[in-house]
Amino acid sequence: MNTIIKTTDAINVNKDIINEAGAIIKRGGLVAFPTETVYGLGANGMDEEAAAKIYAAKGRPSDNPLILHISDIGMLEDIVSEIPENARLLMDKFWPGPMTLVFKKKPGVPYGTTGGLDTVAVRYPAHNVALEIISAAGTPIAAPSANTSGRPSPTKASHVIEDMDGKIDMIVDGGEVGIGIESTIIDVTSEIPMILRPGYITKGMVEELIGQVQVDKVVIAKSIEEIGGDYKPKAPGMKYRHYAPKAELTMYEGDIENVVKKINSLSEIAVTEGKKVGIIATEETKNRYNASKVVSIGTRKDEASIAKGLYGILRDFDTMDVDVIYSETFYDDDLGQAIMNRLIKAAGYRIETV
Ligand code: TXA
Ligand code: MG
């Protein structure tokens, strides 16, 4: 398939490009577009056959449900059977924005988009290109992150091209995204809402608004044992190894002096074994490592910069063809919880205390 690639300004969107993208979605095709979190791979969410093409293009397991993206609150009526009070509070405060809510679905939403579940995840993104494409398509758009299943989510169009060129109808390049990690997912069908995936909207922000909130244990677990072998994450996607670079990634946690020492000594050994080493450092530590591929993920003073750089760095290590990656850890509160959640999964739970 020949993939059309078009570039538009993210604020003053090019209407011709939007109309072309909308028409492709309407006729059951696939279009990748930017949102404020990561790039999404969109199809008509009310059309099971169109949604099936998403699974094929990504190589995604069919029990992993898709998020429906809307461009105005009115669109909720056709897809959601009930809006609990807590959901209203969250919607008023954080929509449009990087938050996905899980509701009970209406019968019209096909099981082909919800992975067979009776619930549906809905997101109202805060990005002009996404909003205009949804409006032009005139239907909720089902959109997972626009990466091949298991690879880091795309934060720029070039990442989407790497994974999807030739497999989808169109890629709309609207520049680099602002946030860089996927939306916070909150299940509002239970009396006390539950965070299923952490993101830019933090537990603290949700608690401040609605009081109590639970967190699915897969979000914070630092080992497979903590989760328990039979436990099924409430967001089916959280069970898959995800966000993974090609090289084996291990994280080292503890006093930063010890971490730097440990990573330096491991790199020396790896280099003598003929391995190419990548290190995920911070602005604060990047000059203290002696391996050749030291990449700074941002400064500890600004967690948002770390979130934004994360997936690009994991992809860069693939391009540099490193054999092993060593990483520092980050605080696991606020936005740090989302960063650590993604990194721990990228590391396949290889995390050591030093
Ligand atoms: O920021 C985002 O949310 C991005 C952009 C493109 O909007 N999208 C995204 O989609 O991250 P995806 O498909 O990569 O991740 C969706 C997650 C998966 O873990 C999936 O299992 C979960 O949402 N999910 C979808 N529907 C659900 C439902 N009804 N109940 C529980 N989890 C659900
Ligand atoms: Mg994804």
Side-chain angles (χ1 to χ4, degrees):
M1 180 187 291
N2 174 40
T3 303
I4 304 163
I5 302 172
K6 296 254 168 97
T7 303
T8 173
D9 189 85
I11 315 237
N12 295 313
V13 295
N14 179 319
K15 293 283 180 195
D16 291 338
I17 294 176
I18 297 295
N19 289 337
E20 188 175 359
I24 290 172
I25 300 278
K26 269 188 183 159
R27 61 161 198 265
L30 299 184
V31 178
F33 55 85
T35 78
E36 78 279 35
T37 56
V38 299
Y39 271 74
L41 175 56
N44 181 350
M46 307 302 274
D47 172 354
E48 218 157 28
E49 271 172 46
K53 294 182 191 164
I54 292 180
Y55 289 92
K58 279 180 64 86
R60 180 177 174 111
S62 62
D63 67 342
N64 190 2
L66 305 172
I67 296 173
L68 289 189
H69 294 63
I70 58 172
S71 56
D72 63 76
I73 295 286
M75 277 181 154
L76 264 186
E77 265 173 42
D78 295 334
I79 53 181
V80 171
S81 68
E82 192 185 315
I83 303 178
E85 186 50 32
N86 279 325
R88 286 208 188 275
L89 292 169
L90 290 164
M91 287 155 54
D92 285 349
K93 176 89 178 171
F94 298 120
W95 271 1
M99 176 187 74
T100 296
L101 297 179
V102 175
F103 297 94
K104 291 190 179 128
K105 80 172 190 73
K106 274 211 168 142
V109 180
Y111 284 118
T113 19
T114 68
L117 299 175
D118 288 313
T119 53
V120 60
V122 185
R123 177 156 129 69
Y124 185 171
H127 194 293
N128 273 347
V129 175
L131 293 172
E132 298 258 359
I133 292 176
I134 301 163
S135 297
T139 176
I141 293 187
S145 47
N147 51 286
T148 300
S149 198
R151 292 211 74 204
S153 296
T155 55
K156 334 173 173 174
S158 61
H159 298 159
V160 182
I161 294 169
E162 270 170 30
D163 287 9
M164 293 297 153
D165 196 17
K167 295 184 181 160
I168 64 177
D169 299 282
M170 185 176 190
I171 298 170
V172 179
D173 181 350
E176 196 174 348
V177 302
I179 292 179
I181 50 175
E182 308 86 343
S183 61
T184 306
I185 303 179
I186 309 172
D187 182 347
V188 289
T189 62
S190 51
E191 177 92 11
I192 301 171
M194 183 187 268
I195 296 180
L196 308 187
R197 179 176 72 183
Y200 191 80
I201 306 291
T202 64
K203 177 170 182 264
M205 290 156 78
V206 175
E207 268 170 348
E208 199 180 304
L209 186 72
I210 61 167
Q212 240 184 327
V213 59
Q214 320 175 66
V215 180
D216 191 2
K217 65 180 173 180
V218 297
V219 166
I220 33 186
K222 287 200 176 151
S223 68
I224 303 269
E225 293 75 50
E226 253 179 83
I227 302 172
D230 303 336
Y231 185 74
K232 283 203 177 71
K234 304 274 185 306
M238 297 290 279
K239 73 172 176 274
Y240 297 106
R241 177 151 186 249
H242 215 190
Y243 322 118
K246 289 179 197 150
E248 187 174 278
L249 162 65
T250 310
M251 306 183 75
Y252 294 90
E253 183 170 51
D255 178 76
I256 194 67
E257 294 304 314
N258 294 341
V259 170
V260 171
K261 241 189 257 165
K262 177 76 179 182
I263 291 180
N264 270 331
S265 80
L266 286 170
S267 325
E268 268 170 44
I269 298 167
V271 168
T272 59
E273 289 169 350
K275 289 182 185 153
K276 240 197 229 177
V277 177
I279 294 177
I280 301 181
T282 53
E283 284 305 296
E284 288 76 12
T285 55
K286 66 179 182 191
N287 295 323
R288 302 187 50 202
Y289 291 108
N290 40 35
S292 56
K293 310 287 180 200
V294 179
V295 178
S296 167
I297 194 172
T299 165
R300 287 183 184 274
K301 294 186 200 103
D302 177 14
E303 281 185 331
S305 75
I306 294 178
K308 191 169 170 174
L310 178 62
Y311 288 139
I313 283 177
L314 295 179
R315 277 181 184 261
D316 287 348
F317 279 132
D318 285 351
T319 319
M320 292 178 216
D321 247 344
V322 298
D323 302 297
V324 282
I325 305 170
Y326 303 124
S327 176
E328 298 176 11
T329 55
F330 300 91
Y331 302 117
D332 49 17
D333 53 358
D334 299 329
L335 188 50
Q337 183 168 80
I339 295 165
M340 280 299 283
N341 169 270
R342 306 306 195 275
L343 264 174
I344 287 173
K345 295 188 82 197
Y349 292 94
R350 271 182 306 275
I351 174 163
E352 281 178 29
T353 306
V354 295

